[in-house]
Amino acid sequence: MELVSATTMRKHLRRIRSSGSAEEAVAYLFFLSEVDGELVFAASDSDTTMEDPEVTAARDQVKEDFSDVFQEDLPAGHRPERFEGGYHRIDIEPGHKPPSQPVRTIPAPMMEELKRQIIKYVELGILRPSSSPYGCPIIFAPKPGGKWRMCCDYRALNNITIKDTYPLPPHDTLLEQLKGSRWFSRFDFNQFFHQIPIHPDDIHKTAIRTRYGSYEWTVMPFGLTNAPATALV
């Protein structure tokens, strides 16, 4: 374990971004403290274990008490608004025609995977058949563990979508706001984008073109501009 200053941490983050080295990025921040009037981080690499049995027991108890929240699989059906106005909107710049692109050729081994994922999402109620004038092609991206993620090539749609302009705060400003904090928690949401509904007036704009027909999303898919901002609201 080592103590590093906030200035050193900023330099380290910039170096990771510029190098793209995954090995350099393996580090965990456990708590912040103040040493000689300077904000420091207590950092440990991945080989260090700081698992507290009491923390583990408390975490497992929370998961048991709120088992309806910590579900392995999302339930089928319509996704409710998380709050009033909690839909994702797709506002198009005036004067543009709906972008419609043909089906893109994908390798034969991916056809069964495409069919499997379409059936799965249709059964969950987050994908449905579409006759929309909009349409984008499908591509696949590898996921850890040998699985594949179905991605929608929304570049044509994004080019005519009005972009959100709210500025994100600098990462160093966010880190400095943690001064004095000692305990942190993190949630890895299960298919978080698929828990956010698309506004009913915009569902037809999410249409995709596949070998097995055209479909549209009732939830927020990957690839839409402004989607990260909606997820962080």
Side-chain angles (χ1 to χ4, degrees):
M1 177 175 293
E2 61 176 334
L3 297 179
V4 296
S5 68
T7 301
T8 302
M9 180 57 67
R10 293 191 199 104
K11 293 180 180 178
H12 182 63
L13 292 173
R14 285 196 293 267
R15 186 171 68 252
I16 290 174
R17 286 199 300 268
S18 61
S19 66
S21 172
E23 295 180 357
E24 290 187 69
V26 179
Y28 300 93
L29 304 181
F30 289 99
F31 63 86
L32 289 83
S33 186
E34 194 168 349
V35 177
D36 298 329
E38 186 175 17
L39 178 67
V40 297
F41 298 93
S44 172
D45 60 31
S46 59
D47 295 330
T48 304
T49 301
M50 295 186 65
E51 191 72 20
D52 188 324
E54 293 185 8
V55 173
T56 301
R59 180 190 61 204
D60 293 341
Q61 185 62 49
V62 169
K63 292 176 64 178
E64 182 178 346
D65 293 342
F66 298 93
S67 58
D68 59 324
V69 176
F70 297 101
Q71 300 182 34
E72 293 294 332
D73 297 307
L74 295 180
H78 177 71
R79 301 291 182 261
E81 290 180 85
R82 296 178 295 158
F83 52 87
E84 184 177 356
Y87 289 102
H88 179 70
R89 297 302 310 258
I90 305 174
D91 297 317
I92 303 299
E93 297 173 352
H96 291 281
K97 294 182 179 180
S100 181
Q101 297 174 282
V103 176
R104 182 173 296 172
T105 302
I106 60 175
M110 292 291 95
M111 295 301 293
E112 281 300 316
E113 179 65 17
L114 173 62
K115 185 177 182 179
R116 184 190 68 82
Q117 292 198 28
I118 289 177
I119 293 175
K120 171 187 174 182
Y121 290 140
V122 169
E123 290 177 347
L124 286 174
I126 63 180
L127 196 66
R128 68 188 189 190
S130 173
S131 58
S132 169
Y134 288 77
C136 80
I138 290 297
I139 56 177
F140 278 93
K143 295 173 61 177
K147 296 182 178 180
W148 293 90
R149 173 179 286 118
M150 184 172 69
C151 302
C152 310
D153 186 359
Y154 282 123
R155 286 177 293 181
L157 176 62
N158 291 338
N159 287 338
I160 62 174
T161 299
I162 299 175
K163 310 298 189 294
D164 289 341
T165 57
Y166 185 81
L168 295 176
H171 68 271
D172 54 348
T173 300
L174 296 176
L175 290 173
E176 289 172 352
Q177 291 179 348
L178 299 176
K179 181 178 181 180
S181 302
R182 299 187 65 84
W183 292 95
F184 303 89
S185 60
R186 184 190 69 174
F187 289 94
D188 185 6
F189 290 94
N190 183 18
Q191 299 183 38
F192 185 42
F193 273 33
H194 290 173
Q195 297 187 42
I196 302 174
I198 293 284
H199 193 279
D201 293 342
D202 296 321
I203 288 178
H204 69 285
K205 300 174 186 175
T206 67
I208 57 176
R209 301 275 189 258
T210 77
R211 168 66 177 77
Y212 302 105
S214 297
Y215 297 86
E216 58 192 23
W217 298 90
T218 62
V219 297
M220 190 167 68
F222 292 100
L224 288 176
T225 191
N226 300 333
T230 299
L232 294 174
V233 172

